[in-house]
């Protein structure tokens, strides 16, 4: 009769195998969690970078648009939804809206700059 | 001191950046809290002081030197003269700036010791700086108009720095005899607020149309053409027909004399008898810029566009009307725009704060009559030697009344926005 035990891993081999399997799973899990959280941190940093850039660019906007969110002859842009802000600015850039101050300002802004401004103004709370 | 997460990451980012650039790091970084002194609390200076205090989050000590306790804006002073605004509505206090981290000192800056990097005040106190921002606005060359003087400004107000001169001008227009003559002498280029003299003519016409409709306005200009000329002349014809005569030097031959006693203005063409008038002489950078040795042969301060640094002293920045901003006009909007570029450059130099490409903009709104507003504006970039316009716009003649009203409403919104941006 064929002794198949020779084909089986030794007790030690089994243990090793399981340790390997378990440790690999843990490692993968840790890696996954670590990766996910670092990605979250990176995303958060990236977002804060955009807010900071948007805040710098906003210097040009707040000469006319009150940062308090009050509107008086000029509409408020504080706390606007990001997609609303972006679509309005692109409409100015494409001259589908025709306020000359705004078409001039918008035409000097890149897509990234418009996005940064949108994220910044969405983050500001009206006072 | 407490930092939010965002401020903290900013600070670590800033220090990492400076570490990486330590070979070029300014000497002041790492030393005590750097000092920025700002001379002049108008649209340029107050904005710069406020932005440096706000964005450095206490890392820079900011002192603003301004003699007036209350600032009456030059922009919109014409609307006060025309009766569209009351005087109190163009006055602003420095109280908010003081609570936003700006050390507001009500005194005159009388000289700048550039070797010691100190500003000397009227009281004799000396204020040390690592960077100085000079934003003194304009001073008037009274003698540029023959016969005109500081004393004559009590009869023919220039009213080119708002305040009591604007009040005097309005009072004198209102006191004119029935059917009298108002004589306006606009300044030669370059000067503060290019459309200003013509908006003033419009506002005085508006006032006279209601109270003294037979009165005449005679404009004896010191230049052949002016800002928004087509728009103003169309508006004058429409709203004030037969009331305003505008004469360029090629017609009147030059102002030979202004006599504040006899109220006569003598030109080659004629001698005009005035019942009231306004004389706006040639201009130069505010006196402290001359005293500090920052001006060129024409009386203005040359700057490096990207940072608004003086071409004669790298520790000094000059912003607003006093600077040679090339394509940018001398306006409150432009000064506010330059102040933000300057504030960023100063923070970058003193604390290693991240800097971005400078951006400049300007719009000048003018009111011709009730609900008839026009505008001119542009975007600019910092060229190597000059600030250059990249895109321009101007209102058109024949625009619909609804658009003109919207433009006026927009200017009211801008006033609320910019004054909040300047004074906090």
């Amino acid at each position: 009769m064929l002794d198949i035990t020779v084909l089986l891993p030794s007790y030690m081999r089994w243990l090793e195998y399981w340790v390997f399997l378990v440790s690999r799973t843990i490692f993968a899990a840790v890696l996954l969690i670590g990766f996910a959280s670092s990605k979250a941190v990176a995303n958060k940093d990236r977002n804060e970078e955009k807010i900071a850039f948007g805040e710098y660019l906003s210097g040009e906007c707040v000469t006319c648009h009150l940062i308090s969110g009050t509107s008086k002859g000029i509409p408020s842009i504080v706390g606007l939804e990001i997609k609303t802000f972006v679509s309005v600015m692109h409409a100015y850039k494409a001259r589908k809206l025709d306020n000359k101050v705004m078409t001039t300002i918008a035409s000097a802004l890149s897509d990234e700059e418009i996005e940064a401004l949108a994220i910044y103004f969405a983050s500001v709370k009206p006072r | 001191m407490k930092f939010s997460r965002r401020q903290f990451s900013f600070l670590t980012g800033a220090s990492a950046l400076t570490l990486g650039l330590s070979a070029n790091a300014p000497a002041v970084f790492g030393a005590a809290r750097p000092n920025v002194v700002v001379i002049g609390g108008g649209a340029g200076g107050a904005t710069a002081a406020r932005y440096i205090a706000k964005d450095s989050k206490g890392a820079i000590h900011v002192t603003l030197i301004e003699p007036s306790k209350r600032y009456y804006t030059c922009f919109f002073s014409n609307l006060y003269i025309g009766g569209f605004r009351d005087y109190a509505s163009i006055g602003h206090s420095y109280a908010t700036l003081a609570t936003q981290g700006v050390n507001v000192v009500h005194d005159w800056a009388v000289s700048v010791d550039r070797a010691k990097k100190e500003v000397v005040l009227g009281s004799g106190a000396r204020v040390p700086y690592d960077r100085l921002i000079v934003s003194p606005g304009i001073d008037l060359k009274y003698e540029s108009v023959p016969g005109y003087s500081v004393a004559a400004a009590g009869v023919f107000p220039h009213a080119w720095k708002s305040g009591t001169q604007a009040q005097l001008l309005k009072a004198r227009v209102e006191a004119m005899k029935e059917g009298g003559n108002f004589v306006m002498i606009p300044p030669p280029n370059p000067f503060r607020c290019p459309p200003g003299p013509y908006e003033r003519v419009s506002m005085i016409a508006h006032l006279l149309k209601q109270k003294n409709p037979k009165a005449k306005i005679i404009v004896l200009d010191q230049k052949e053409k002016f800002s928004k000329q087509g728009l103003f002349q169309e508006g004058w014809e429409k709203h004030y027909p037969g009331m305003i005569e505008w004469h360029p030097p090629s017609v009147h031959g030059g102002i030979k004399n202004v006599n504040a006693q006899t109220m006569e203005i003598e030109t080659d063409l004629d001698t005009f008898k005035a019942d009231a008038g306004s004389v706006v002489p040639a201009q130069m950078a505010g006196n402290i810029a001359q005293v500090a040795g920052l001006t060129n042969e024409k009386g203005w301060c040359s700057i490096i566009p990207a940072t608004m640094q003086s071409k004669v002293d790298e520790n000094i920045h000059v912003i607003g009307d006093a600077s040679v901003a090339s394509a940018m006009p001398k306006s409150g909007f432009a000064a506010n725009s330059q102040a933000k570029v300057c504030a960023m450059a100063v923070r970058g130099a003193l604390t290693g704060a991240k800097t971005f490409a400078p951006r400049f903009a300007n719009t000048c709104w003018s009111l011709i009559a009730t609900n008839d507003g026009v505008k001119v504006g542009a975007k600019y970039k910092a060229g190597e030697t000059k600030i250059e316009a990249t895109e321009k716009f101007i209102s058109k003649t024949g625009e619909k009344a609804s658009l003109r009203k919207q433009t006026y409403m927009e200017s009211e919104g801008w006033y609320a926005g910019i004054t909040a941006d300047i004074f906090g």
Side-chain angles (χ1 to χ4, degrees), chain B residues 1-4 7:
Chain B
M1 190 185 278
K2 277 168 84 177
F3 292 109
S4 71
Q7 287 166 336

Side-chain angles (χ1 to χ4, degrees), chain A residues 24-93:
Chain A
R24 197 179 65 169
T25 313
I26 292 170
F27 179 70
V30 166
L31 207 71
L32 203 73
I33 292 163
F35 179 68
S37 66
S38 74
K39 204 172 163 190
V41 168
N43 274 343
K44 195 163 192 289
D45 282 354
R46 180 91 188 90
N47 202 47
E48 289 186 357
E49 226 171 77
K50 282 183 186 170
I51 290 181
F53 185 42
E55 185 174 4
Y56 158 67
L57 294 169
S58 76
E60 209 162 64
C61 313
V62 297
T63 299
C64 301
H65 296 274
L66 281 159
I67 197 68
S68 62
T70 330
S71 63
K72 192 180 174 272
I74 287 180
S76 168
I77 52 172
V78 168
L80 265 192
E81 258 190 70
I82 293 174
K83 62 179 183 190
T84 310
F85 189 103
V86 169
S87 71
V88 170
M89 288 303 281
H90 280 288
Y92 278 122
K93 202 173 168 177

Side-chain angles (χ1 to χ4, degrees), chain B residues 110-340:
Chain B
V110 293
S111 67
V112 178
D113 187 336
R114 280 165 45 193
K116 287 189 183 159
K117 296 208 280 180
E118 289 176 341
V119 176
V120 184
L121 304 185
S123 65
R126 299 176 77 95
V127 191
Y129 64 82
D130 295 299
R131 286 287 169 121
L132 173 64
I133 299 171
V134 177
S135 186
I138 52 148
D139 264 321
L140 301 160
K141 293 180 172 173
Y142 289 93
E143 73 294 348
S144 67
V145 178
Y148 196 57
S149 62
V150 172
V155 176
F156 295 123
H158 54 76
W160 220 241
K161 297 179 176 194
S162 195
T164 46
Q165 277 271 300
Q167 291 182 298
L168 175 64
L169 177 57
K170 184 175 169 71
R172 291 190 72 95
V173 173
E174 286 171 340
M176 268 170 66
K177 74 170 190 203
E178 208 184 311
N181 284 335
F182 181 88
V183 179
M184 171 87 205
I185 302 183
N189 292 323
F191 64 99
R192 163 181 284 180
C193 191
Y198 313 97
E199 183 184 54
R200 173 171 293 178
V201 165
S202 309
M203 291 296 94
I204 289 171
H206 173 78
L207 201 62
L208 291 173
K209 190 180 171 182
Q210 303 159 66
K211 296 183 174 169
N212 190 351
K214 287 188 185 134
K216 291 263 184 298
I217 299 174
I218 299 149
V219 188
L220 301 171
D221 214 325
Q222 299 186 71
K223 26 184 204 311
E224 291 299 316
K225 56 186 174 114
F226 60 87
S227 173
K228 301 179 186 164
Q229 185 165 352
L231 296 166
F232 279 115
Q233 289 182 326
E234 178 195 54
W236 294 345
E237 202 55 48
K238 180 179 174 191
H239 302 290
Y240 319 111
M243 198 177 205
I244 302 165
E245 287 173 26
W246 175 77
H247 302 300
S250 56
V251 171
H252 64 68
I255 314 290
K256 297 289 174 270
N257 192 42
V258 169
N259 188 327
Q261 270 83 51
T262 61
M263 303 285 286
E264 284 174 346
I265 290 134
E266 197 187 314
T267 69
D268 275 351
L269 176 72
D270 204 349
T271 294
F272 296 88
K273 180 90 176 94
D275 297 288
S278 176
V279 176
V280 187
Q283 298 161 22
M284 59 185 167
N287 185 254
I288 187 69
Q290 323 276 342
V291 171
L294 302 171
T295 47
N296 62 19
E297 69 290 351
K298 288 175 180 158
W300 305 100
C301 306
S302 297
I303 49 96
I304 296 162
T307 58
M308 300 302 293
Q309 266 163 305
S310 161
K311 280 190 178 165
V312 300
D313 189 330
E314 61 176 7
N315 297 313
I316 300 179
H317 300 245
V318 184
I319 54 175
D321 296 352
S323 69
V324 180
S326 312
M328 281 185 103
K330 300 188 185 301
S331 76
F333 195 127
N336 170 268
S337 174
Q338 292 158 10
K340 291 170 197 172

Side-chain angles (χ1 to χ4, degrees), chain B residues 77-116:
Chain B
S77 62
N78 280 332
L79 272 64
Y80 152 70
I81 291 167
F84 290 90
R85 282 251 167 184
D86 63 36
Y87 188 63
S89 79
I90 59 168
H92 303 272
S93 130
Y94 293 96
T96 311
L97 277 188
T99 63
Q100 290 178 347
V102 177
N103 175 30
V104 181
V105 177
H106 293 299
D107 202 341
W108 285 93
V110 293
S111 67
V112 178
D113 187 336
R114 280 165 45 193
K116 287 189 183 159

Side-chain angles (χ1 to χ4, degrees), chain B residues 380-402:
Chain B
Y380 305 87
K381 64 168 189 186
E384 281 290 304
T385 57
K386 288 178 173 179
I387 298 178
E388 297 158 9
T390 53
E391 197 179 333
K392 301 178 195 178
F393 65 86
I394 184 164
S395 296
K396 293 182 171 55
T397 52
E399 280 172 345
K400 276 192 225 151
S402 59

Side-chain angles (χ1 to χ4, degrees), chain A residues 44 51-53 55-57 59-60 62-64 66 72-74 95 99-101 104 107-109 113, chain B residues 5-6 10 51 333 336 340 344 356-357 359 375 379 391 393 409-410 412-414 416-418 420-421:
Chain A
K44 195 163 192 289
I51 290 181
F53 185 42
E55 185 174 4
Y56 158 67
L57 294 169
E60 209 162 64
V62 297
T63 299
C64 301
L66 281 159
K72 192 180 174 272
I74 287 180
R95 293 169 199 278
N99 184 302
K100 295 289 182 291
V101 178
T104 305
S107 69
L109 291 167
E113 287 166 340
Chain B
R5 212 190 122 76
R6 198 171 126 220
F10 238 107
Y51 270 71
F333 195 127
N336 170 268
K340 291 170 197 172
M344 179 179 65
F356 300 99
R359 312 175 73 90
K375 60 186 173 184
K379 274 289 298 169
E391 197 179 333
F393 65 86
M409 296 307 289
E410 188 178 272
E412 286 282 351
W414 163 75
I418 196 170
D421 197 35

